[in-house]
Structure formats: C-alpha cells, structure tokens
Amino acid sequence: MRTTIRQMLIDNIAEIGGRVYEPQAAGKDTQPPYIVLREGVQDPEADWSDFSTIVEIWPYVKRTTFQQVDTLVNSIINTLHRARFSEGGEEYLADYIGTVGQDFVDTEWDAITRGLRFRVFALGWLNGLTYDPDPVKSLQSWTKDKWPTEVYADPASWSPVDTKPGIYWRLVRINLIEITVAVNWLEAQISCHILAPSASIRLKWIRRVSEELAKQRSLEMEDGGLMQLIKIAADSEADPMRKGQITLTVRFGVLQPTAEYETLDKAAASGDIKMEAVGNG
C-alpha cells in the first residue's frame, strides 16, 4: 500500500523530483523539498481499525517560509484525499483526516515541515453482502433501480464524485425478535454511507435517500418476502466513511429449515404379521 502511495506522490508532485522516502532513508543531507512517508499510530479499539491504516506524510522544505510548506501540503492533499487505488489485488481509499500537531522546525535536518494524517481504508468492508435473503442486497438493488445513472451503488465500481456520489449499505447488527413455527423474525440495523467530496452534495443525497425510504415503507427480498422499514434516522454531521449518515432499522422473516428424512427406495415384508390392539377397558 505504501509503495503505491509513494508512486502517486512522485507522479503528481513534480517539485519533489521523486524524493519520497521511508523515515530511515532521509536525513540532514537529503536535498529539500522531499517527503517522508511513515505508518502512523492507530488506536486498535477505534472504529474501523481492522479495515484501515493511518499513514503520515511529512513534507520537508528549506528553512525559509512556511508558505512553501503550505504549497506542498496542498499538493499532497489534492493527490491523496479521496483517492482510490489498488495494490496486490486489494482496493483502497485514502481520506485526509488532519495534521500531526503544529508546524515543526527540524534544526538537525535544517528544514521545516508539517505532518499530515491520512486514513487509508481497505475497501473489502464495502462488500457487505452475506446470503439470501440479504437485507443489504435488497437495499442495494433498490438504490440501483431508484437512481440507475445518478449514483454508484455497486462497491466494486465505486469512484464517488459530486456528479455521481456513492451510496453503500452496511449491516451493523441483527437481533432475533420472534420465533414461530414457520418463520424466524429478525430486526436489523443498517447504515447507509453516502460518499461525495462536497458536504452540500452529501446533504442533498442524505435527504433524498431518507425521504424515498419513508415513502417506500417496505422492500421485496430475494425470497419474495417483505422487509419492513421500521425506523429511519439521518445525521448529516456523521462521518461518511466511519459511521454512515443514515441509520435504518428493518424487520424481515427467515423461513424455518424443513426437516428432511431418509426415504427407503424399497420395502418388503414376509411371513405372518401379528397385530395386537390394546384398549382402555
């Protein structure tokens, strides 16, 4: 992953002249401007820690003015923020999440710098499908039918932009609420992630999706059963990658498994069969 990020920086930022290094490869004799790339510290208990990596990007320039740092910082953010890339068969999405403290004067290296933090998501978590009847699959199909050309609904082909945002459904939790002879009734919480670069576009689609769901009330699932839409809640300030802006509570049924018995191909009886009846009297 870091190999690909390094190459993206080299290809898109001409002023560094290909000088992107691991921490141990840079030093006081390295010619600025250059970039140091390192893996950042991540809280293992944080949301999405199993699906993401913190990467720190440190641009170094001569000890003149921090305006030069600002220029290089902007180029780095423009290159990596919301960038989707692949490496080793895996898909990734980079998200700029802020700086590492304040501007820093490195007297030993005779340079000035500012650390930038990116969270790089492994997009395997976008594939939230399980097996039929699948509530996520039902919502994904509904999204494709409702806005066939306006949004991305298939995680395998996502590259969200303002003119065509991405809408992804993720199963958060599921509870068994009732058992009957024929059906097990389940209640599930599903999050909707609406991805677009602009907050105004995300807000627009948060409202559109929420209102259309309210009109829908129920969706047909793969097995022909109905999935009831019980509760819809939207939060435009929620992190679109980490949490999702719409929370949907649904209720659906799963048929009880049918007991199967071994059937004899042939049965034969010979001799006398004695029968005895026993009464209560």
Side-chain angles (χ1 to χ4, degrees), residues 55 57 77 95-101 115-119:
V55 174
I57 312 290
I77 294 174
D95 191 30
Y96 173 62
I97 57 176
T99 60
V100 185
L116 308 176
R117 299 179 83 237
F118 291 83
R119 184 179 294 277

Side-chain angles (χ1 to χ4, degrees), residues 97-135:
I97 57 176
T99 60
V100 185
Q102 299 177 344
D103 294 345
F104 176 67
V105 178
D106 192 323
T107 55
E108 181 180 355
W109 288 8
D110 194 28
I112 53 180
T113 184
R114 180 187 309 149
L116 308 176
R117 299 179 83 237
F118 291 83
R119 184 179 294 277
V120 182
F121 292 89
L123 296 185
W125 64 269
L126 291 176
N127 183 15
L129 301 179
T130 53
Y131 51 84
D132 296 331
D134 191 330

Side-chain angles (χ1 to χ4, degrees), residues 175-180 183-187 251-252 256:
N175 296 311
L176 177 64
I177 58 173
E178 185 180 357
I179 299 176
T180 67
V183 180
N184 291 335
W185 290 100
L186 304 169
E187 189 171 280
R251 186 175 187 263
F252 64 97
Q256 290 277 23

Side-chain angles (χ1 to χ4, degrees), residues 4 11 31 33 61 71 77 94 97 128 141 143-144 168 197 218 220 230 248 253 260 267 276-277:
T4 302
D11 292 342
Q31 177 187 349
V61 302
T71 300
I77 294 174
I97 57 176
S141 297
T143 304
K144 291 177 181 178
Y168 163 71
S218 65
E220 185 174 348
I230 297 174
L248 182 64
E260 296 183 358
E276 181 179 0

Side-chain angles (χ1 to χ4, degrees), residues 238-260:
D239 189 310
M241 286 295 296
R242 293 162 62 88
K243 186 177 180 181
Q245 306 98 314
I246 299 175
T247 301
L248 182 64
T249 304
V250 303
R251 186 175 187 263
F252 64 97
V254 177
L255 294 175
Q256 290 277 23
T258 303
E260 296 183 358

Side-chain angles (χ1 to χ4, degrees), residues 6-73:
R6 177 179 182 273
Q7 193 59 50
M8 290 169 66
L9 294 170
I10 291 172
D11 292 342
N12 289 279
I13 307 177
E15 57 264 39
I16 60 174
R19 294 184 293 276
V20 181
Y21 304 106
E22 297 286 331
Q24 70 277 5
K28 61 182 180 179
D29 296 327
T30 305
Q31 177 187 349
Y34 59 91
I35 291 173
V36 173
L37 172 66
R38 60 161 59 97
E39 186 170 332
V41 178
Q42 178 164 277
D43 180 3
E45 301 299 323
D47 292 343
W48 303 110
S49 61
D50 291 339
F51 309 105
S52 64
T53 302
I54 298 295
V55 174
E56 294 182 3
I57 312 290
W58 291 79
Y60 283 79
V61 302
K62 292 181 179 179
R63 289 179 64 180
T64 52
T65 170
F66 276 102
Q67 289 181 351
Q68 294 183 25
V69 178
D70 294 339
T71 300
L72 200 47
V73 161

